[in-house]
Amino acid sequence: MKKYLLIISLAFSSFSIQASNLINDERVTDQKNCFTWVFTDYASWRSAMEKKFKRKIKSDEKLKQALTQFDSRFGKDKFDFYQNNLSCSTFNYFVDGNTVKGYVIKPKVSKGKLPVLIYNRGGNGNFGGVVFGSMMHNLFPIASEGFVIIGSQYRGTFTKDSSAHDEFGGSDVNDVTALLEYIPKIKGADEQRIGMYGASRGSMQTHLALKQVKNVKAIAAIAGASDLLKELKFRPAMERVYSHRIPDYDTNKVTELEKRSVLNWVDKLSPNIPILLLHGEDDKRVSVNNAIEFADALSKNNIPHKLVVYPNDNHGLMKNKDKANKELVNWFREYL
């Protein structure tokens, strides 16, 4: 009897795991609910962050300030709303022999199929990886407006596999385009209405990905560099990133940076894919001139677009986050 109960229990557990998978594809492995571990509830997450802050902050007053800022940015009400209304999973998938980590977010309830947004993160390697906090701050607000969001961490991120190397706009672009294969396997996702957007380095990924795929209907670029070579004059520190990430950089610097700079091939962009550009005027990481000059080139080549520059704002558009999110939502609602 106990043997049969064990079999039934294991079968039920297996069914529960399969039923919770947001992507129904055997090539996708290790799907895990985002709202687990310390993220089971807000109190647990906040407690974990408090312990983390205490390791770095010795002043009680500064610790209190850090927790106040944490509550202001996130907060229990927001957390509970997203947990009640969104499904979110992380997963592994395979590209070019590499195990790559990804994530998918979608509303729990919808009246019909929802448009899909492929999100391309910024940063490089583990820096800028999409952790729970960045999901809640950047992606949950968009998904809750009626979108399925899927994204890649890019190869070499959150892994000890030394052979998987983020090439900053090289072979890692395949990690983005491979996501399109899984969109039809997401219940409630409309594979006929796909958009793509990226922040910072993710803007470059977006433009490079569109060289390979044809079924994306609209895109958006947030604080992206359109001319990487020229951008080095604005932020010379990026040389270290390029040298470490980009293959053959030392011998082919100009060629490799030009290949990753959309301003060099604006005339090859499709006039049927509208582009939204959002940028902070006081961005210290990527000059706002990238967006301004790119918009001018788009106009000259009759590429439909919209440029929004936020005065006195930074790289993350922290002062205008709600406005920027509204721009994104309205843009993709119009064109998807």
Side-chain angles (χ1 to χ4, degrees):
M1 181 66 178
K2 290 182 178 179
K3 178 180 178 182
Y4 291 116
L5 288 174
L6 178 61
I7 293 172
I8 293 172
S9 176
L10 290 172
F12 180 77
S13 297
S14 176
F15 173 77
S16 297
I17 292 171
Q18 292 176 0
S20 65
N21 287 348
L22 299 186
I23 304 177
N24 297 311
D25 192 304
E26 61 184 10
R27 295 171 297 173
V28 173
T29 64
D30 204 26
Q31 296 192 57
K32 295 179 180 177
N33 185 352
C34 300
F35 293 99
T36 52
W37 191 44
V38 299
F39 309 109
T40 302
D41 55 54
Y42 188 72
S44 175
W45 183 26
R46 191 182 190 277
S47 177
M49 292 304 299
E50 183 175 5
K51 291 177 182 178
K52 182 178 180 180
F53 291 151
K54 282 182 176 178
R55 290 195 293 267
K56 299 179 179 180
I57 303 172
K58 303 305 178 184
S59 164
D60 289 342
E61 183 179 349
K62 290 184 177 180
L63 174 61
K64 184 178 179 181
Q65 290 176 353
L67 288 171
T68 298
Q69 290 175 354
F70 180 80
D71 288 331
S72 176
R73 186 173 190 179
F74 301 106
K76 184 179 185 304
D77 289 345
K78 283 184 181 179
F79 182 96
D80 290 347
F81 174 80
Y82 293 136
Q83 187 177 43
N84 291 331
N85 291 280
L86 294 176
S87 296
C88 174
S89 288
T90 59
F91 61 89
N92 290 341
Y93 64 116
F94 303 92
V95 189
D96 302 335
N98 300 298
T99 300
V100 184
K101 296 183 179 299
Y103 48 88
V104 60
I105 308 161
K106 54 176 280 193
K108 288 182 177 179
V109 179
S110 63
K111 293 182 179 179
K113 285 193 171 184
L114 298 175
V116 182
L117 300 178
I118 297 174
Y119 175 72
N120 296 321
R121 50 156 282 214
N124 65 96
N126 289 352
F127 175 73
V130 180
V131 296
F132 185 88
S134 54
M135 281 185 186
M136 183 168 168
H137 186 61
N138 298 314
L139 303 181
F140 287 0
I142 306 298
S144 65
E145 292 291 336
F147 295 91
V148 175
I149 296 179
I150 187 169
S152 175
Q153 302 283 13
Y154 312 142
R155 61 190 63 185
T157 301
F158 303 144
T159 178
K160 295 180 180 179
D161 183 1
S162 59
S163 65
H165 187 66
D166 174 5
E167 296 181 352
F168 206 83
S171 60
D172 47 274
V173 176
N174 295 339
D175 304 339
V176 175
T177 58
L179 294 173
L180 287 150
E181 298 178 31
Y182 303 111
I183 290 175
K185 304 300 181 69
I186 303 172
K187 184 178 179 181
D190 190 342
E191 60 187 290
Q192 301 301 318
R193 292 189 291 160
I194 300 175
M196 187 181 293
Y197 74 115
S200 193
R201 173 262 182 95
S203 299
M204 174 189 69
Q205 299 287 103
T206 299
H207 296 306
L208 290 171
L210 256 65
K211 280 187 161 186
Q212 301 181 28
V213 300
K214 305 298 181 184
N215 52 338
V216 174
K217 295 184 178 297
I219 67 172
I222 306 168
S226 56
D227 188 335
L228 275 67
L229 192 62
K230 187 175 182 180
E231 183 64 12
L232 272 178
K233 297 178 182 178
F234 176 79
R235 193 182 176 199
M238 285 301 294
E239 188 94 62
R240 293 196 300 271
V241 175
Y242 298 158
S243 180
H244 176 61
R245 295 289 174 191
I246 299 175
D248 302 320
Y249 181 77
D250 292 337
T251 54
N252 293 300
K253 171 180 174 177
V254 174
T255 300
E256 292 299 327
L257 292 184
E258 286 181 345
K259 278 165 43 176
R260 291 162 169 80
S261 301
V262 66
L263 206 58
N264 291 317
W265 28 275
V266 179
D267 58 325
K268 301 294 193 299
L269 298 179
S270 170
N272 300 317
I273 303 176
I275 303 172
L276 173 65
L277 302 173
L278 306 179
H279 216 118
E281 186 181 45
D282 290 341
D283 191 336
K284 304 300 186 210
R285 295 190 174 212
V286 178
S287 171
V288 67
N289 290 331
N290 282 275
I292 294 171
E293 293 176 8
F294 185 34
D296 183 56
L298 291 172
S299 295
K300 292 177 179 177
N301 286 274
N302 299 311
I303 307 294
H305 67 281
K306 179 180 181 180
L307 169 64
V308 181
V309 174
Y310 296 99
N312 306 312
D313 212 344
N314 59 18
H315 190 61
L317 304 180
M318 298 300 291
K319 296 179 180 179
N320 292 277
K321 194 64 177 177
D322 291 341
K323 290 181 180 178
N325 284 344
K326 188 174 181 179
E327 286 284 356
L328 288 168
V329 169
N330 289 342
W331 184 259
F332 288 119
R333 280 181 176 166
E334 180 177 356
Y335 291 106
L336 296 185

